[in-house]
Structure formats: C-alpha cells, structure tokens
Amino acid sequence: GENVEQHPSTLSVQEGDSAVIKCTYSDSASNYFPWYKQELGKRPQLIIDIRSNVGEKKDQRIAVTLNKTAKHFSLHITETQPEDSAVYFCAEKRNSGYSTLTFGKGTMLLVSP
Amino acid sequence: EPEVTQTPSHQVTQMGQEVILRCVPISNHLYFYWYRQILGQKVEFLVSFYNNEISEKSEIFDDQFSVERPDGSNFTLKIRSTKLEDSAMYFCASREERYNEQFFGPGTRLTVL
C-alpha cells in the first residue's frame, strides 16, 4: 500500500482563508518530513520541513505540525493568497538509507481572489 | 543562489531508442537523486547515488536504467530502450551531506512516441 497518504487531493479556498493539508505515513522509522510546492510546469520547491524530534514549526504564514504517535503531519497556510495556488506534496524520509524521499500524491490548492 | 540544472528541457524520442538525461548538481553536494513524475501524478523515486555508486534504487529502476557521474560536475540518467510508459518529467535532485533538504532541478520532459 501507499507509504504516504495525502488528503485532500484538491482544495479550493477564498483569499484570506486558511488551508490545511494532511498526510499520514506508515513507517515509524521516518524522521524527516518536508513539504514541497510545485507550480504548473515547474520544479518542486521546499517550503517547510520538520524533523521527528519537533512537534511544530512555523515560517511566516506556513506551519507544519507532526504527531508521531498517530503518524500524521499537516501543512497549515494562513491568510492564503492567489500566488499560493499550486500543487503541494508532502514527503517522508526513513531513518535509514540515503535520504530517499517518498512523496504523497499531492494536493492541488486553488486560492480564489 | 546555486541551482541544480538539467538538460535538455524537453526530449522527444522514438520507442526503443536510447536517451541520456543530464544534470549538473549543486557543486558542494554529495548526494544525487533521480525522480520521475508522470503527468498529473506524484513524484516517484528512481535512484540515489553517493560516492560514485548507486546507494538505493526503486523497483521502477530496472535494467533499462543506468546512472553515471562521468566527470566532476555531471550526473546522467540513461534509458537504454525507451518505452511509451517512460514518458514523464524526470527530476534530478541533490543535497549536501549535512542536511536533509533536497534541491530539485527544473526537470526534463521525456516524450516517447
């Protein structure tokens, strides 16, 4: 089955609203959880990440929370703007190996003005 | 700010032909990766490379695929006999030894006819 499940697949919000995207993982050995933003036709770009020894991390309008017990982590975007519209991917890295990332299926976020 | 670069941006080939996709990782990075993304789907890991050898590979990376670091700057992905289902965006990524963050290149769109 999927190592990383991501929900929702699409998310439409009004400008100024908050957006939350959730991911669950199955490998308890995972210790690093990045979020990537991918605009249409462009490369994935890291927007925030969190390590397993931290429960929450914030960077301006973006925050990520991690619940190791439940094996899920979430991306929170506040005061959304039209330029936040993109596909967002969560990913996880196992504790072993060479930082291979396993990605979720992505969430298409559409922020309407 | 240094970036991963990839060439060509778009490659069109006939089924059964060999293709070589090229990447120039960020200069002080030691870990290199290839990922692919079929149109509209998630990013999938292919292979990781460290210290001049493959460190991990996925089930997608079969005998038709190979990677090479022919010199101090380039990192290549070769597909020996392309199939229709190889059509995808191929991303190269690299990272420093100390950090988990992977930096992605702009991708090569491979179209197999």
Side-chain angles (χ1 to χ4, degrees):
Chain A
E2 294 288 331
N3 290 330
V4 181
E5 293 190 8
Q6 184 171 348
H7 300 280
S9 56
T10 58
L11 179 58
S12 294
V13 299
Q14 291 291 320
E15 182 177 1
D17 288 350
S18 295
V20 180
I21 303 170
K22 299 182 179 181
C23 287
T24 60
Y25 61 98
S26 56
D27 191 346
S28 57
S30 298
N31 66 346
Y32 172 69
F33 307 91
W35 285 89
Y36 283 83
K37 175 183 180 181
Q38 187 179 30
E39 296 175 356
L40 188 63
K42 298 196 175 179
R43 74 185 81 191
Q45 292 201 297
L46 181 76
I47 54 170
I48 197 167
D49 56 11
I50 192 167
R51 294 183 61 86
S52 58
N53 58 349
V54 176
E56 184 174 0
K57 184 176 177 181
K58 191 173 182 181
D59 182 4
Q60 299 181 341
R61 296 187 296 110
I62 295 172
V64 55
T65 58
L66 171 65
N67 183 327
K68 283 177 59 180
T69 304
K71 297 199 189 82
H72 65 71
F73 56 111
S74 300
L75 177 71
H76 305 253
I77 307 174
T78 58
E79 300 172 32
T80 53
Q81 301 166 1
E83 50 265 40
D84 294 330
S85 297
V87 179
Y88 291 80
F89 291 96
C90 64
E92 55 108 22
K93 178 190 84 70
R94 297 188 307 275
N95 194 24
S96 59
Y98 294 84
S99 287
T100 299
L101 296 178
T102 301
F103 286 83
K105 287 189 174 181
T107 296
M108 179 173 292
L109 174 64
L110 178 61
V111 182
S112 302
Chain B
E1 186 174 340
E3 289 187 328
V4 177
T5 59
Q6 289 184 244
T7 54
S9 57
H10 192 186
Q11 175 87 49
V12 181
T13 190
Q14 294 290 325
M15 189 170 57
Q17 295 295 304
E18 174 184 288
V19 295
I20 297 176
L21 311 182
R22 303 180 191 280
C23 168
V24 178
I26 295 172
S27 61
N28 63 331
H29 289 189
L30 299 180
Y31 292 82
F32 313 123
Y33 306 84
W34 283 102
Y35 294 85
R36 79 170 186 191
Q37 185 178 33
I38 295 170
L39 187 63
Q41 297 187 23
K42 68 176 179 178
V43 177
E44 298 176 291
F45 167 73
L46 292 177
V47 65
S48 60
F49 192 87
Y50 172 73
N51 200 26
N52 285 320
E53 61 183 19
I54 290 173
S55 46
E56 281 185 287
K57 59 183 180 179
S58 72
E59 62 275 8
I60 302 170
F61 194 88
D62 60 23
D63 292 344
Q64 294 298 312
F65 291 87
S66 62
V67 290
E68 193 178 29
R69 187 151 165 83
D71 53 44
S73 60
N74 289 284
F75 178 51
T76 62
L77 175 69
K78 181 192 291 186
I79 309 174
R80 288 189 186 83
S81 179
T82 50
K83 302 186 284 287
L84 295 177
E85 54 265 37
D86 292 328
S87 294
M89 182 74 90
Y90 288 80
F91 290 104
C92 172
S94 69
R95 74 171 181 94
E96 289 187 67
E97 185 151 26
R98 295 176 293 167
Y99 303 113
N100 288 307
E101 181 180 357
Q102 294 185 25
F103 292 83
F104 281 73
T108 293
R109 179 164 297 284
L110 176 66
T111 302
V112 182
L113 303 176

